[in-house]
């Protein structure tokens, strides 16, 4: 089993200032301690500590962060006693902090373009199914995100059309499964109506939706992988986008990213795509009847 | 429903029986515990983990139809096909009663001649027999109890008498609705009055029901009062029909009920322990040694259960109980559960509910063996003595 160890970063000194997940008190973490802890809990993949700045930051702070991160990696390598110059993989961090989508995909594209082809690229904190499809098109390999389980606890299910808000009154007498195309235990046994009466009130509601959402994400990964292996990745992307945007209103940032990735999605885009703002409103209020 | 008594205790009224319910393929041995549920599913054990619980004991579930009020329309429950289909529990036996002690609590002051009042998460509801029967006909449980006017132990004689009259009347109204399928258990009340308990039992025994639900306990009466009240009820009921009781939670109370001749027990004990971060550790068969941590104070252990939130478990790499073969004890340590409780992870409750359910079902199994071997009164005496001695140390 793989355990990845993400941390939440706040400010930076010689070590990292973090918030303890147990009592919320601030604590300091040095690069050496970070590696030690990750080794002790038996992680298969461990991350070097990085100095995180917001993608929107400009100016000398970025350079400072870059050099500091490099110094920390050198310290980590010394600590581990490795002499290798090559690192086994790379993580792209500092995203998923609420930056706009246009910046987000450009940063990912830039990183994947400059990182070695034969090492895994892990985009930390991503994310929404659409973001994962786009990043995969741009050459990313691994992801982690709390989104599927967190959104489940709020009563939201992930479905091919986007999201389904089980809390909504209309769900109370809807006897279809959450996702009729899904083969998971929850979709095979339970109705939207029953889950509706559980969500946000009973722990079991969170469990059932978390189960489905995780199954959905794992299936998405598997489908992305197998479509690439079969040489049908662009078709898969088109099918994915068609289900999510049946009116052809694929967001502009997705179109731009796919263009850079070299994936032709013209068959799923409406002739006159809407502006970014118009699309945001529809995407956020979308639920499936 | 089919019930027959297989073994009698030569002293006392305890007995072992066999129960078959509805289309459930399992045969249940009694005395048995009905596992409590919230809206039909366990509180924390998700459906795909249920098969890891002991079989067939864990296939007998309690379900309170009132949990669905204002959550899902009963017409929708009908359209789905009833509880078994809605819950994905087609091989399980579901027993419905309108009472539980954490979500739907009888509000006797607001009950009136039309119906019984309950405090629920969606507010106070007055449930009339006709409405209750609509719930029963749409949920289609394997067994259901009639609507009762339960009152606490301290009410006046007059109020108590009224509760018996109403309960008998509502039983007739419920049965009169002619809802087919599902075994009906007549409800018996009477508070803490021996005469009223007797009167109610005699009236209900005259009706055409498959079994009896003894209500009104766990509402303020003391453990000392209970044996006489139970005796007054059970001695007026036919031997060959099963008796179910709500509200006897602790092992001592269960043993009391079994001595009196009760067959089915329904309580929220496991849930209450679980949300308190408590794990059962008492020796199940009375001859096992006690857990060896005699130095511990009350907050941590009372020799029947341990509080896994306590800091002494932070580094304890042993399972809750070495001898337990539940999923939790086979895979996890006290330290891990302590950590989960500290960081407020739901997995803690899932693991605790699994262990506590396992442990309590094991107690019931041991009790049945003791009755079959005609050793029940001795077992009961030793068990209770053992717990008293351990708490004195």
């Amino acid at each position: 089993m793989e355990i990845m160890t993400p941390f939440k970063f706040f400010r930076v000194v010689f070590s990292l200032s973090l918030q303890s997940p147990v009592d919320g008190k601030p604590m300091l973490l040095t690069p050496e301690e970070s590696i030690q802890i990750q080794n002790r809990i038996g992680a298969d993949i461990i991350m070097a500590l990085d100095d995180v700045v917001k993608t929107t930051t400009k100016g000398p702070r970025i350079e400072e962060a870059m050099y500091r991160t490099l110094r920390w990696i050198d310290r980590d390598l010394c600590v581990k006693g490795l002499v290798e110059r090559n690192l086994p993989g790379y993580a792209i961090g500092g995203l998923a902090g609420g930056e706009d989508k246009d910046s987000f995909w450009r940063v990912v594209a830039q990183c994947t373009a400059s990182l070695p082809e034969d090492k895994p690229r892990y985009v930390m904190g991503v994310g929404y199914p659409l973001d994962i499809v786009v990043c995969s098109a741009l050459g990313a390999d691994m992801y982690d995100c709390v989104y599927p389980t967190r959104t489940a606890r709020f009563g939201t299910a992930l479905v091919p059309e986007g999201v389904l808000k089980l809390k909504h009154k209309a769900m109370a007498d809807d006897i279809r499964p959450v996702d009729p195309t899904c083969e998971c235990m929850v979709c095979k046994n339970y109705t939207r109506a029953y889950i509706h009466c559980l969500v946000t009130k009973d722990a079991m509601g969170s469990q059932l939706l978390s189960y489905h959402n995780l199954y959905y994400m794992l299936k998405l990964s598997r489908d992305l992988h197998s479509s690439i292996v079969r040489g049908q990745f662009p078709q898969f992307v088109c099918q994915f986008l068609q289900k999510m945007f049946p009116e052809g209103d694929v967001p502009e940032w997705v179109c731009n990213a796919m263009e850079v990735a070299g994936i032709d999605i013209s068959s799923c885009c409406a002739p006159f795509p809407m502006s970014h703002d118009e699309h945001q409103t529809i995407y956020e209020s979308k639920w499936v009847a | 429903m089919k019930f027959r008594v297989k073994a009698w205790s030569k002293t006392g009224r305890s007995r072992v029986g066999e129960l078959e319910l509805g289309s459930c393929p399992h045969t249940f041995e009694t005395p048995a515990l009905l596992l409590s549920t919230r809206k039909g599913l366990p509180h924390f054990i998700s459906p795909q983990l249920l098969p890891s619980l002991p079989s067939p004991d864990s296939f007998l579930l309690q379900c309170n139809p009132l949990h669905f009020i204002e959550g899902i329309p009963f017409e929708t429950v009908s359209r789905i096909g009833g509880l078994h289909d809605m819950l994905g529990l087609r091989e399980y036996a579901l027993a419905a009663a309108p009472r539980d002690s954490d979500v739907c609590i009888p509000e006797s002051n607001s009950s009136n001649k039309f119906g019984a009042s309950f405090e629920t998460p969606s507010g106070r509801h007055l449930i009339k027999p006709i409405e209750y029967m609509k719930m029963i006909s749409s949920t289609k449980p394997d067994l259901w109890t009639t609507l009762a006017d339960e009152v606490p132990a301290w009410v006046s004689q007059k109020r108590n008498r009224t509760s018996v009259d109403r309960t008998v009347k509502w039983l007739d109204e419920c049965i009169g609705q002619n809802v087919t399928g599902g075994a009906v258990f007549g409800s018996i009340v009477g508070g803490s009055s021996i005469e009223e308990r007797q009167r109610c039992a005699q009236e209900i025994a005259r009706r055409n029901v498959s079994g009896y639900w003894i209500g009104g306990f766990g509402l303020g009466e003391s453990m000392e009062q209970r044996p006489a009240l139970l005796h007054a009820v059970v001695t007026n009921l036919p031997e060959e029909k099963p008796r179910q009781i709500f509200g006897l939670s602790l092992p001592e109370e269960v043993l009391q009920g079994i001595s009196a001749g009760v067959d089915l027990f329904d309580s929220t004990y496991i849930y209450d322990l679980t949300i308190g971060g408590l794990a059962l550790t008492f020796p199940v068969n009375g001859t096992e040694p006690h857990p060896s941590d005699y130095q511990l104070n009350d907050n941590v252990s009372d020799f029947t259960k341990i509080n896994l939130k306590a800091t002494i478990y932070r580094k304890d790499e042993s399972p809750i109980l070495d001898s337990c073969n539940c999923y939790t004890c086979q895979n996890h340590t006290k330290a891990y559960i302590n950590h989960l409780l500290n960081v407020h992870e739901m997995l803690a409750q899932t693991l605790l509910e699994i262990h506590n359910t396992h442990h309590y079902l094991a107690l019931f199994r041991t009790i049945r063996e003791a009755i079959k071997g005609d050793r029940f009164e001795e077992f009961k005496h030793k068990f209770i003595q053992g717990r008293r001695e351990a708490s004195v140390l």
Side-chain angles (χ1 to χ4, degrees):
Chain A
M1 192 182 98
E2 287 168 19
I3 312 167
M4 287 215 248
T5 53
F7 284 88
K8 267 211 157 66
F9 300 115
F10 286 86
R11 287 182 313 116
V12 171
V13 200
F14 288 122
S15 46
L16 220 44
S17 180
L18 305 171
Q19 211 178 17
S20 160
V22 175
D23 55 14
K25 291 209 211 78
M27 51 183 271
L28 288 177
L29 188 71
T30 63
E32 290 82 358
E33 280 173 334
S34 158
I35 298 297
Q36 241 177 40
I37 294 170
Q38 292 180 78
N39 266 317
R40 241 190 273 132
I41 63 176
D44 295 299
I45 296 170
I46 64 181
M47 312 302 305
L49 211 54
D50 58 335
D51 182 7
V52 181
V53 292
K54 274 170 68 174
T55 47
T56 43
T57 309
K58 294 176 170 59
R61 176 75 186 91
I62 300 186
E63 221 183 319
E64 179 195 52
M66 186 196 77
Y67 283 117
R68 180 174 288 141
T69 302
L70 284 175
R71 285 198 301 277
W72 282 355
I73 289 180
D74 286 343
R75 280 166 67 178
D76 289 340
L77 290 176
C78 291
V79 165
K80 286 192 295 185
L82 286 181
V83 186
E84 278 176 69
R85 282 164 198 279
N86 290 323
L87 293 167
Y90 300 92
I92 302 165
L95 299 165
E99 66 285 321
D100 66 287
K101 292 297 192 205
D102 253 340
S103 316
F104 161 69
W105 79 260
R106 279 175 224 279
V107 170
V108 173
Q110 194 128 46
C111 292
T112 53
S114 3
L115 289 169
E117 289 281 313
D118 59 344
K119 301 281 169 68
R121 291 80 94 69
Y122 155 38
V123 188
M124 301 198 282
V126 168
Y128 299 123
L130 181 60
D131 296 0
I132 288 181
V133 171
V134 170
C135 291
S136 300
L138 294 171
D141 309 292
M142 292 155 69
Y143 309 94
D144 81 280
C145 196
V146 297
Y147 175 64
T149 47
R150 175 174 290 162
T151 209
R153 292 196 300 276
F154 287 102
T156 300
L158 299 176
V159 293
E161 294 79 8
V163 297
L164 189 69
K165 298 207 159 130
L166 272 304
K167 269 197 309 190
H168 199 282
K169 269 205 297 279
M171 299 288 125
D173 57 9
D174 189 337
I175 62 172
R176 292 174 289 175
V178 165
D179 175 7
T181 68
C182 181
E183 303 271 306
C184 82
M185 177 271 291
V186 177
C187 293
K188 288 240 146 306
N189 287 291
Y190 300 100
T191 55
R192 295 173 182 190
Y194 180 64
I195 297 179
H196 167 81
C197 84
L198 292 174
V199 288
T200 72
K201 298 199 193 81
D202 298 296
M204 190 54 62
S206 301
Q207 289 213 43
L208 294 179
L209 277 187
S210 292
Y211 187 104
H212 164 78
N213 285 357
L214 288 173
Y215 189 98
Y216 178 87
M217 297 303 285
L218 291 175
K219 178 157 195 303
L220 176 65
S221 313
R222 226 177 314 135
D223 289 345
L224 282 166
H225 172 91
S226 62
S227 73
I228 296 171
V229 164
R230 289 192 330 256
Q232 295 185 322
F233 182 68
Q235 292 93 314
F236 177 79
V237 172
C238 283
Q239 276 162 28
F240 179 87
L241 292 174
Q242 264 155 6
K243 279 193 220 129
M244 198 170 272
F245 305 103
E247 324 256 303
D249 49 331
V250 177
E252 206 174 324
W253 71 270
V254 174
C255 298
N256 296 339
M258 288 300 176
E259 198 176 324
V260 165
I263 306 287
D264 177 14
I265 57 165
S266 51
S267 62
C268 21
C269 290
F272 302 104
M274 287 171 223
S275 76
H276 174 77
D277 290 328
E278 279 171 59
H279 169 75
Q280 265 319 89
T281 322
I282 293 176
Y283 187 66
E284 267 152 21
S285 67
K286 211 189 243 278
W287 61 273
V288 181
Chain B
M1 185 206 87
K2 286 208 203 82
F3 177 77
R4 68 178 188 94
V5 178
K6 260 178 37 169
W8 298 92
S9 183
K10 297 201 177 55
T11 52
R13 313 186 69 85
S14 58
R15 73 261 191 97
V16 163
E18 259 178 9
L19 179 70
E20 283 169 33
L21 279 173
S23 53
C24 175
H26 303 279
T27 302
F28 302 101
E29 259 199 350
T30 63
L33 175 71
L34 281 78
L35 299 184
S36 76
T37 63
R38 178 75 58 86
K39 292 172 183 158
L41 286 181
H43 304 270
F44 305 108
I45 305 175
S46 53
Q48 85 278 15
L49 294 179
L50 279 176
S52 74
L53 293 175
S55 174
D57 314 34
S58 61
F59 280 77
L60 187 54
L61 305 181
Q62 161 271 1
C63 179
N64 186 344
L66 270 56
H67 286 183
F68 300 108
I69 294 178
E70 287 184 22
I72 177 171
F74 285 95
E75 295 77 40
T76 309
V77 178
S78 283
R79 277 168 56 218
I80 297 173
L83 281 178
H84 294 80
D85 288 326
M86 185 169 74
L87 305 172
L89 297 177
R90 290 171 192 87
E91 306 234 311
Y92 283 69
L94 299 167
R99 160 98 189 278
D100 59 66
S101 60
D102 69 325
V103 164
C104 291
I105 301 163
E107 187 26 74
S108 57
N109 289 332
S110 309
S111 301
N112 57 36
K113 62 182 175 185
F114 298 113
S117 180
F118 295 89
E119 285 292 355
T120 76
S122 57
R124 191 175 293 177
H125 293 280
L126 186 76
I127 310 288
K128 301 180 185 160
I130 194 169
E131 284 162 347
Y132 181 64
M133 290 316 295
K134 281 208 192 100
M135 294 181 200
I136 296 297
S137 72
S138 58
T139 50
K140 300 216 258 282
D142 298 293
L143 179 168
W144 55 275
T145 68
T146 59
L147 193 63
D149 180 19
E150 290 181 274
V151 294
W154 54 80
V155 298
S156 67
Q157 281 251 45
K158 181 164 176 243
R159 179 66 184 90
N160 206 9
R161 231 176 298 134
T162 308
S163 85
V164 172
D165 295 335
R166 276 185 197 155
T167 300
V168 175
K169 176 161 161 277
W170 291 344
L171 181 151
D172 290 334
E173 283 178 37
C174 285
I175 298 182
Q177 296 289 315
N178 269 328
V179 166
T180 49
V184 50
F185 275 32
S187 297
I188 299 171
V189 291
S192 48
S193 154
I194 303 234
E195 298 77 38
E196 288 302 311
R197 284 277 176 191
Q198 258 171 355
R199 181 169 79 92
C200 196
Q202 282 159 358
E203 282 292 338
I204 304 299
R206 283 200 261 274
R207 267 72 177 173
N208 183 18
V209 291
S210 305
Y212 307 98
W213 184 76
I214 307 172
F217 284 104
L219 289 172
E221 80 288 348
S222 69
M223 261 191 82
E224 289 73 36
Q225 289 176 288
R226 234 182 261 144
L229 295 167
L230 286 173
H231 190 263
V233 170
V234 172
T235 45
N236 286 291
L237 298 176
E239 296 278 322
E240 72 278 4
K241 291 190 183 170
R243 302 90 173 241
Q244 181 181 333
I245 194 164
F246 177 81
L248 302 196
S249 301
L250 298 172
E252 289 86 343
E253 297 178 303
V254 166
L255 290 166
Q256 218 179 31
I258 293 176
S259 274
V262 178
D263 309 293
L264 296 166
F265 293 80
D266 166 14
S267 80
T268 54
Y269 187 47
I270 290 173
Y271 170 70
D272 296 331
L273 289 167
T274 300
I275 54 168
L278 302 164
L280 289 174
T281 54
F282 61 79
V284 158
N285 70 21
T287 59
E288 288 161 18
H290 289 286
S292 57
D293 39 14
Y294 290 143
Q295 294 84 23
L296 299 174
N297 64 32
D298 291 335
N299 280 345
V300 172
S301 161
D302 66 356
F303 314 106
T304 62
K305 51 192 180 291
I306 54 175
N307 180 352
L308 282 161
K309 290 184 192 157
T311 46
I312 54 140
Y313 297 119
R314 218 160 63 87
K315 299 188 186 180
D316 190 331
E317 291 175 40
S318 60
I320 295 171
L321 266 187
D322 276 307
S323 52
C324 180
N325 36 11
C326 79
Y327 175 87
T328 305
C329 292
Q330 294 292 300
N331 291 285
H332 296 293
T333 61
K334 294 200 204 58
Y336 182 58
I337 301 176
N338 175 270
H339 159 72
L340 292 174
L341 287 165
N342 283 331
V343 296
H344 311 292
E345 278 291 333
M346 199 195 306
L347 183 59
Q349 281 77 37
T350 305
L351 294 177
L352 285 174
E353 193 177 28
I354 289 175
H355 169 79
N356 288 333
T357 302
H358 228 264
H359 199 83
Y360 221 38
L361 288 177
L363 174 66
F364 274 80
R365 214 171 311 130
T366 307
I367 288 171
R368 292 193 291 267
E369 294 309 309
I371 298 174
K372 284 192 237 174
D374 201 23
R375 300 175 275 110
F376 176 69
E377 290 300 320
E378 182 196 325
F379 169 85
K380 176 182 157 198
H381 179 79
K382 251 214 210 129
F383 186 92
I384 295 179
Q385 262 317 99
R387 279 158 76 93
R388 283 206 194 120
E389 273 164 19
S391 60
V392 157
L393 278 165

